[in-house]
Amino acid sequence: MADKKNFRETVAEEMIRHLEAGTAPWQKPWVPGAYNASPFNPTTGKPYRGINSYWLELSGYSDPRWMTYKQASDFDAQVNKGEKSTQIEYWQWTKELPLLDQDGKPVRDAEGKAQKQSVRLERPKVFYANVFNGDQITGLEPYKAPELKFEPVVEAELILENSGVAIHHDQNDRAYYHRLTDDIHMPPAGAFKSGYEYYATALHEVGHATGAAHRMVRDKGPFGS
């Protein structure tokens, strides 16, 4: 079992590699050609959080479902032979202890069952688990992404309309402002994870468009500045 230091170092190195290559998934708020959910466990229905969410997204799998070998078996599915698991970590911040009365005796309910209380640990405990992606498992039902309910934001739409910049939703995996044609090209709204991310991207490109000569003639630094 790997210790916390090795796990963190592994994740950090992989994040740096993707950042340097410009392929970090959190830098791209859309999914090429599709709407995608964040990594989640189909057994509990809960999304993976914190470093685990970023770590699992780096894998490059299209299926957002991640589960242990046993959880896959509970779905009557089988992890494909030779597949490599991905390690994640859990932090235990509390511990269940017996609830005692003033005399130090267990407190029981009306049915005689001993009661427990949640106590916060002075130092959290770290546990590790190995999970597999849905694409690594045979026997699972095909993943169906939830229907994206994109509700237009009136205020944001007015800003985009009044900017005077045409927006073309003709890209699969790019979003950019074209200086020569003075227009914006980006993926369709349905490819974004939420309406917030769609407008954030569109307004970002409008920011580039303000540098046009017939607008603010804003000074522009080097690309990426």
Side-chain angles (χ1 to χ4, degrees):
M1 179 179 293
D3 57 34
K4 181 176 68 174
K5 180 179 179 181
N6 287 338
F7 175 78
R8 290 300 179 93
E9 286 180 346
T10 300
V11 175
E13 290 174 357
E14 189 69 4
M15 284 184 169
I16 292 172
R17 185 179 72 81
H18 280 275
L19 284 168
E20 292 177 340
T23 58
W26 61 87
Q27 293 179 306
K28 186 185 298 181
W30 65 82
V31 177
Y35 168 72
N36 187 30
S38 298
F40 73 96
N41 187 304
T43 298
T44 63
K46 296 181 179 180
Y48 291 96
R49 301 182 182 279
I51 193 173
N52 288 330
S53 179
Y54 289 118
W55 179 230
L56 295 177
E57 283 194 54
L58 287 176
S59 68
Y61 287 107
S62 59
D63 194 318
R65 296 173 295 180
W66 291 84
M67 68 203 80
T68 64
Y69 188 96
K70 182 180 182 305
Q71 288 173 335
S73 299
D74 292 340
F75 281 105
D76 292 326
Q78 177 65 48
V79 174
N80 299 330
K81 185 177 180 179
E83 293 287 0
K84 183 179 179 181
S85 65
T86 300
Q87 189 180 68
I88 56 176
E89 69 173 18
Y90 289 97
W91 289 59
Q92 180 183 344
W93 293 90
T94 60
K95 184 177 182 179
E96 294 291 322
L97 295 177
L99 180 62
L100 306 177
D101 61 19
Q102 294 181 347
D103 298 325
K105 297 181 179 180
V107 176
R108 301 181 182 277
D109 60 17
E111 299 177 353
K113 185 178 180 180
Q115 299 296 289
K116 294 184 178 181
Q117 61 180 337
S118 179
V119 178
R120 188 171 181 82
L121 299 175
E122 183 178 349
R123 293 184 178 181
K125 296 181 179 180
V126 182
F127 299 91
Y128 296 90
N130 295 310
V131 294
F132 296 88
N133 182 265
D135 288 344
Q136 298 175 286
I137 301 171
T138 298
L140 287 178
E141 290 291 330
Y143 174 68
K144 295 181 180 180
E147 182 179 352
L148 179 63
K149 297 180 180 179
F150 188 84
E151 295 293 336
V153 178
V154 176
E155 293 83 355
E157 291 289 345
L158 285 174
I159 294 175
L160 295 177
E161 181 180 351
N162 293 331
S163 70
V165 186
I167 299 180
H168 305 287
H169 300 95
D170 56 359
Q171 296 298 303
N172 182 56
D173 198 18
R174 300 177 65 196
Y176 62 92
Y177 165 68
H178 198 298
R179 290 195 303 170
L180 297 180
T181 56
D182 189 37
D183 54 11
I184 293 171
H185 300 260
M186 55 190 288
F192 288 79
K193 298 177 182 178
S194 71
Y196 170 83
E197 290 170 315
Y198 168 78
Y199 288 116
T201 301
L203 292 171
H204 174 89
E205 299 306 331
V206 168
H208 288 303
T210 62
H214 60 290
R215 293 195 183 90
M216 295 174 62
V217 199
R218 179 177 56 80
D219 289 337
K220 297 183 288 293
F223 180 78
S225 65

